[in-house]
Amino acid sequence: MSTTDSPHPGRLHPITITVREMADIFGRMGFDVVQGPELETEWYNFDALNIPNDHPSRDMWDTFWTKTKGGEERKVLRTHTSPMQIRWLEKQGAPTRIVVPGKVFRNEATDATHEAQFYQLEGLAIDTNVTLGHLKGTLERFCKEYFGNDAKVRLRPSYFPFVEPGVEIDVWFPAQKKWLEVMGAGMVHPKVLQNAGVDATRYQGFAFGLGVERFIMIKYGIPDIRLFHSGDIRFNYAFNEKPV
Amino acid sequence: MKVSLKWLQTYFDAPLPPAEQIADALTFHAFEIEEIQGDMLDVKVLPNRAADCLSHRGIAKELSAILDIPLTNDPLRRDVGTSYVPTSLTVEIEDPKKCSRYMGALVKRVRIGPSPAWLKKALESVGQRSINNIVDATNYVMLNIGQPLHAFDARRLKLEAGCLKIGVRNAKQGEQITTLSGEAFALNPSTLLITDENAGAPIALAGVKGGNVAELTAETTDLVVESANFNGTSVRKTAQTLKLPTDASQRFQNRPSPELCAYGMRDVLALITDIAGGEVVGVVDEYPARPETKPVLVTLARINGLLGSSFSRDEVLGVCTRLGLETKSEGDSFTITPPFERTDLTIPEDFAEEVGRILGYDRIPAAELPPTLGTPDQSRYRGIERMKDQLVEQGFTEVSTQSFAKKGDILLANPLDKTKPALRTSLEQNLQEAFARAKQYAPLVLAPNQKPKLFEVGTVFQKDGEKLEVKTSEPVSDLPEIRDDANYVPKRYELGAYKPFSVYPFIVRDISAFSPETGEMQSYDPTQESEFEKLIQESAGPLLIRIVHFDAFQKGKRISYTSRLTFQSMERTLTDGEVNGIMEKVSAMLHTAGYEVR
């Protein structure tokens, strides 16, 4: 008569579930999943990405630095997953297609839409003829598969030191009848390719970086980003989760 | 950058479109608009364009290119001349790397006073305060063409042999300055100063803020007007160290061209003599480090090959004309020399961006990447996900916690939370805390006999480096190491609708009742149990957020059902008394339906 003999399975974290879904979508477009260190060198996090020291572009990222003793190299908690562009290209070379999910850190006051730590998913596609049109096509397909077939994508001019041209990606949500800014992207800057030892006269490609929490928040109407890394199981169980 | 539409209009003969259309034009072809407030647009100028677009002229030039309407009377294309009347003012630059150009003008017999109404209005339209005609003139020209300017009271500088001498040098150890706003700063030797060399005294923090030594007063009659170019890194460091960001420092740190100095000087002297009278005695121009403008070779194939577009040669040439880029074309090759103020245009990719954004990214067709050969290698990732799936199967729920800790091997130089200045060396502490809360929340989300079990997979930071750790809230005997697994396919779930949960405490009550007598022998009946729960839900109302089966057994001819009820409000903390009241209503309802509440 008892209905509780069978063991109850637990639940994955919503970020794990979402990263799997995103990895699947990009996997179907030929992207590998790779991961990188959270504690980075200044070179990989900034200089190699064309963000020189004492340049105003560094202000775009509020950075956590490690305390060092004399002679030690100071490190940063990576402010984005973009350092893996360099690390991966150094190791693997071109052509390549990867996505890099991982935790990143920003030293900024937290509130309902800002957390000092969150997940990004970086994308990188390098070949001899990858264009901004491919970026548009790839992200359009991704957004349609993730948000639903009615989603539309548009590009606006923007600036990130490691891409040229740089763009901001907006997605159209028919239900809410509005465009939302969802990620930064662009064509990988030739200096970045050179810094990773890739022949920039032969290869080119695109990169993008999206905030995983932001995507989940938009899709499911989550009110507060701080729920994600609170260690609170009520958050896992607030979703009406089903196996696919 | 706050811009006034009325101010922008001075750059065009034809009337500009309404604010919304201007905002759209800028948004899709240049910069985001933070806000529109009547006549004022707050334009989020991108860092790579801050050298030329933190100015009305810069924004007007963008609009002219985007909307393809001519810019009339462009101040940067009007001749500035190169020869100046020499004067009894000299300038000495210690390090040309820190100051590539310094222009100083001596102006005598000005009448300091309030600004004319148009100037006051123009400054107020972009949120600036009018101070006096001289200071307003320097601010107006800066906001108009982007060159920071400064005016000193010449009679408060020391004359020696009939000459004034301005110095541009690093601060000496122990040197101090009091700024215009009255703040005193002790300086370190990396701070670049403007000095009165004859007096050996600092008169300004170069490119940041003036000092009070040569401050203008109501009695001022003679001026030294400065139009200079200071090194972006040096200005940025000083402004950051002294926590003194100013309109001037913001512009210098973005490295405007030193060519701009002459335009700023021309315009500010014209404006000062117009509104404050006086006479320009002479101008000194120390220009030790002239920038080179290099032409860039770009081909049509490169532009289209990068953008994935099929723009024509004429379209590209059209963009160059609209942006005022001097272009020589030969077949499908372009040799482009940008105007001096466009310091951002140095490589072919920069020009591809100009073409893409001006013609519009909506004109670039979306294309699918060609299929790749071979299967992507994701074995590390798959190995980690496999471990997570195994733990979930064994009843563990995955949590994610903060990477910061009270103690650790690696400390942060600038922690956000001062009580957690270290990086975690283990997931243990956070998991224990999460587990304590999970036990407390169990009645909200778990089955009555389900024990909370948690795990986290996360990076920890130890003396020998960072590593991935797996931690469970209770020992798992057969927990394997994380191994790369090329073939594992991680389980897929769909995150269904999200139901917000309350942050207020909850109250749990069990209720048991015997089924109504029928005279017959009854057996456990799920349909009857559902009806039992439905009766409870209807009588308990919306504060009952969860009802779960707890127990059912046979006694005599009847069945006893027990359910566990969880009460919680989204808005407040419930009291025992309140829940007791609800339970009484529930009992009464069950009683009416023939149940005997135990």
Side-chain angles (χ1 to χ4, degrees):
Chain A
M1 198 179 326
S2 170
T3 55
T4 54
D5 289 344
S6 60
H8 300 274
R11 283 198 178 196
L12 288 170
H13 194 276
I15 288 180
T16 298
I17 292 173
T18 303
V19 167
R20 286 182 182 185
E21 182 179 356
M22 291 177 171
D24 241 39
I25 300 171
F26 284 112
R28 289 195 289 277
M29 294 188 266
F31 287 78
D32 298 4
V33 180
V34 299
Q35 283 154 325
E38 291 177 12
L39 200 57
E40 262 298 357
T41 62
E42 193 170 354
W43 166 256
Y44 283 114
N45 195 75
F46 289 126
D47 300 74
L49 291 167
N50 199 28
I51 313 165
N53 194 10
D54 279 314
H55 193 271
S57 58
R58 280 228 179 160
D59 294 347
M60 295 168 83
W61 297 272
D62 296 303
T63 311
F64 285 109
W65 296 94
T66 60
K67 215 181 222 179
T68 51
K69 296 183 199 88
E72 268 179 6
E73 185 194 2
R74 67 172 183 171
K75 290 197 163 183
V76 301
L77 281 174
R78 64 175 170 190
T79 57
H80 42 199
T81 37
S82 311
M84 268 312 279
Q85 291 184 27
I86 308 282
R87 286 182 178 276
W88 183 253
L89 287 172
E90 278 178 345
K91 189 177 154 202
Q92 210 65 27
T96 193
R97 279 180 214 173
I98 52 164
V99 287
V100 189
K103 204 185 226 187
V104 301
F105 301 84
R106 300 278 169 90
N107 195 349
E108 55 185 19
T110 60
D111 60 29
T113 53
H114 296 88
E115 247 288 31
Q117 47 193 304
F118 57 95
Y119 274 70
Q120 268 193 349
L121 187 96
E122 185 86 8
L124 177 73
I126 304 289
D127 209 330
T128 52
N129 54 4
V130 173
T131 68
L132 195 69
H134 287 123
L135 170 75
K136 202 178 189 180
T138 302
L139 293 180
E140 200 160 82
R141 178 165 160 196
F142 168 69
C143 287
K144 279 180 189 299
E145 291 199 29
Y146 183 75
F147 287 118
N149 246 325
D150 303 336
K152 280 187 290 189
V153 160
R154 77 178 179 197
L155 275 54
R156 276 187 293 112
S158 191
Y159 171 73
F160 307 96
F162 36 98
V163 287
E164 187 66 44
V167 293
E168 200 70 59
I169 307 290
D170 294 341
V171 174
W172 171 254
F173 293 89
Q176 301 166 45
K177 289 197 171 58
K178 64 178 173 191
W179 291 96
L180 285 179
E181 183 178 317
V182 293
M183 66 178 117
M187 296 298 291
V188 178
H189 198 287
K191 272 193 199 158
V192 171
L193 294 173
Q194 284 157 20
N195 287 337
V198 171
D199 182 357
T201 60
R202 178 144 186 248
Y203 290 104
Q204 62 182 49
F206 64 73
F208 60 85
L210 65 89
V212 177
E213 287 89 339
R214 179 161 166 77
F215 267 67
I216 303 175
M217 288 170 82
I218 291 172
K219 187 169 173 182
Y220 298 98
I222 313 296
D224 194 327
I225 193 171
R226 290 167 295 192
L227 291 164
F228 285 87
H229 307 289
S230 60
D232 189 335
I233 60 164
R234 292 178 297 180
F235 186 55
N236 301 58
Y237 284 88
F239 292 89
N240 186 18
E241 181 191 304
K242 290 179 207 78
V244 176
Chain B
M1 165 85 193
K2 291 190 167 115
V3 297
S4 143
L5 293 180
K6 210 173 149 201
W7 194 329
L8 287 179
Q9 182 65 63
T10 63
Y11 283 95
F12 300 94
D13 287 334
L16 282 172
E20 285 70 25
Q21 280 179 40
I22 290 180
D24 271 0
L26 289 171
T27 302
F28 295 110
H29 302 279
F31 310 121
E32 259 180 77
I33 304 301
E34 303 242 40
E35 95 175 295
I36 306 179
Q37 225 179 60
D39 172 64
M40 190 276 289
L41 289 187
D42 196 349
V43 184
K44 200 173 167 188
V45 173
L46 292 165
N48 63 330
R49 295 300 306 281
D52 72 306
C53 281
L54 288 177
S55 66
H56 280 78
R57 185 268 168 196
I59 301 295
K61 181 69 197 171
E62 284 298 302
L63 275 180
S64 154
I66 295 162
L67 302 172
D68 199 9
I69 46 174
L71 196 65
T72 52
N73 212 6
D74 182 351
L76 301 193
R77 297 291 89 83
R78 265 200 333 270
D79 191 33
V80 277
T82 46
S83 58
Y84 298 100
V85 179
T87 177
S88 56
L89 173 71
T90 57
V91 171
E92 200 172 286
I93 298 170
E94 183 184 73
D95 180 1
K97 284 198 198 74
K98 285 193 151 189
C99 176
S100 57
R101 188 177 195 180
Y102 194 103
M103 295 180 80
L106 191 61
V107 185
K108 289 196 168 171
R109 291 176 291 280
V110 297
R111 288 177 309 278
I112 207 158
S115 287
W118 72 265
L119 179 52
K120 280 188 184 169
K121 264 196 190 149
L123 292 173
E124 281 160 11
S125 70
V126 293
Q128 300 258 342
R129 200 165 46 94
S130 167
I131 295 168
N132 60 47
N133 50 3
I134 307 297
V135 174
D136 288 359
T138 60
N139 282 335
Y140 179 84
V141 173
M142 174 185 69
L143 295 168
N144 194 37
I145 66 170
Q147 172 64 44
L149 299 154
H150 193 73
F152 301 100
D153 186 335
R155 297 177 74 166
R156 297 174 74 179
L157 304 177
K158 194 173 171 195
L159 266 176
E160 214 169 84
C163 281
L164 294 174
K165 195 169 175 190
I166 297 288
V168 186
R169 62 159 172 83
N170 283 332
K172 292 170 185 151
Q173 194 68 48
E175 220 165 0
Q176 290 195 354
I177 192 168
T178 302
T179 64
L180 290 172
S181 44
E183 300 152 286
F185 295 100
L187 305 170
N188 70 44
S190 71
T191 311
L192 191 68
L193 294 178
I194 307 302
T195 62
D196 174 356
E197 276 299 279
N198 291 336
I203 55 173
L205 293 161
V208 181
K209 202 164 189 162
N212 66 358
V213 173
E215 184 177 359
L216 306 185
T217 67
E219 283 74 47
T220 299
T221 56
D222 298 353
L223 311 171
V224 169
V225 178
E226 166 194 295
S227 181
N229 191 285
F230 304 109
N231 176 274
T233 303
S234 164
V235 168
R236 178 178 151 83
K237 271 190 182 157
T238 301
Q240 276 185 343
T241 313
L242 305 180
K243 298 195 169 58
L244 206 61
T246 60
D247 282 333
S249 75
Q250 190 200 1
R251 284 171 176 79
F252 282 125
Q253 72 164 3
N254 288 294
R255 299 162 166 80
S257 166
E259 285 294 294
L260 190 59
C261 295
Y263 298 82
M265 188 58 103
R266 175 197 66 193
D267 288 0
V268 79
L269 292 181
L271 186 52
I272 287 174
T273 48
D274 181 30
I275 63 175
E279 174 202 345
V280 179
V281 178
V283 178
V284 57
D285 182 11
E286 280 298 316
Y287 198 173
R290 277 170 203 272
E292 267 181 80
T293 314
K294 283 186 212 140
V296 181
L297 181 74
V298 201
T299 63
L300 184 63
R302 179 72 189 132
I303 291 169
N304 281 327
L306 198 68
L307 298 176
S309 53
S310 44
F311 294 132
S312 70
R313 175 179 177 275
D314 286 348
E315 282 176 311
V316 171
L317 284 174
V319 168
C320 293
T321 306
R322 281 151 75 174
L323 287 168
L325 312 176
E326 188 195 316
T327 308
K328 285 183 202 137
S329 69
E330 204 178 307
D332 285 343
S333 291
F334 313 100
T335 306
I336 308 179
T337 312
F340 74 83
E341 70 276 10
R342 290 299 305 271
T343 53
D344 61 306
L345 299 176
T346 58
I347 57 172
E349 289 75 9
D350 292 329
F351 294 97
E353 176 168 64
E354 295 305 289
V355 171
R357 73 180 179 94
I358 295 294
L359 295 177
Y361 289 130
D362 55 334
R363 290 191 51 197
I364 294 176
E368 291 223 355
L369 285 169
T372 45
L373 296 170
T375 1
D377 173 18
Q378 331 214 16
S379 45
R380 170 75 176 158
Y381 165 72
R382 286 168 189 264
I384 297 168
E385 299 312 297
R386 181 179 168 202
M387 157 80 70
K388 291 183 183 175
D389 280 344
Q390 285 174 340
L391 286 167
V392 166
E393 234 167 71
Q394 294 180 46
F396 287 88
T397 288
E398 185 189 19
V399 292
S400 173
T401 68
Q402 304 281 318
S403 299
F404 305 118
K406 289 194 180 81
K407 285 181 186 160
D409 298 336
I410 294 163
L411 298 177
L412 293 172
N414 56 342
L416 185 63
D417 176 355
K418 304 274 184 293
T419 68
K420 290 188 171 172
L423 297 179
R424 61 188 180 188
T425 53
S426 159
L427 303 173
E428 180 73 42
Q429 180 68 30
N430 287 345
L431 198 66
Q432 272 179 21
E433 285 168 21
F435 182 60
R437 282 187 294 148
K439 279 196 286 192
Q440 192 191 328
Y441 299 143
L444 287 170
V445 295
L446 301 183
N449 63 343
Q450 187 183 358
K451 202 167 104 188
K453 291 159 93 176
L454 305 186
F455 78 100
E456 180 168 12
V457 179
T459 304
V460 296
F461 305 85
Q462 298 168 349
K463 278 200 186 69
D464 54 341
E466 67 173 86
K467 53 191 70 163
L468 197 66
E469 189 176 82
V470 183
K471 202 91 205 166
T472 52
S473 60
E474 60 183 74
V476 180
S477 53
D478 53 348
L479 186 70
E481 295 269 299
I482 294 179
R483 276 186 295 110
D484 289 5
D485 187 334
N487 300 315
Y488 183 72
V489 179
K491 288 213 174 92
R492 288 283 315 279
Y493 298 86
E494 191 189 309
L495 281 177
Y498 176 81
K499 190 166 172 276
F501 55 89
S502 167
V503 295
Y504 294 96
F506 58 89
I507 292 176
V508 177
R509 295 290 162 86
D510 291 344
I511 187 160
S512 303
F514 287 114
S515 54
E517 295 263 21
T518 56
E520 313 264 317
M521 176 64 83
Q522 300 176 21
S523 59
Y524 170 71
D525 175 4
T527 314
Q528 186 172 47
E529 187 170 38
S530 304
E531 278 166 15
F532 171 73
E533 291 188 345
K534 209 172 144 211
L535 282 170
I536 296 170
Q537 269 165 335
E538 280 167 7
S539 50
L543 294 176
L544 173 67
I545 59 150
R546 191 164 193 247
I547 175 165
V548 286
H549 163 96
F550 189 70
D551 191 23
F553 62 86
Q554 186 139 27
K555 192 172 180 197
K557 289 183 174 173
R558 294 188 294 173
I559 306 294
S560 165
Y561 294 106
T562 302
S563 289
R564 177 157 286 178
L565 315 184
T566 311
F567 296 92
Q568 193 179 33
S569 158
M570 290 297 282
E571 287 104 29
R572 62 200 161 84
T573 301
L574 296 182
T575 63
D576 269 332
E578 204 170 351
V579 173
N580 289 345
I582 297 173
M583 291 303 286
E584 276 164 28
K585 266 167 58 188
V586 170
S587 296
M589 170 73 100
L590 289 172
H591 182 77
T592 312
Y595 285 86
E596 183 194 338
V597 178
R598 298 200 286 135

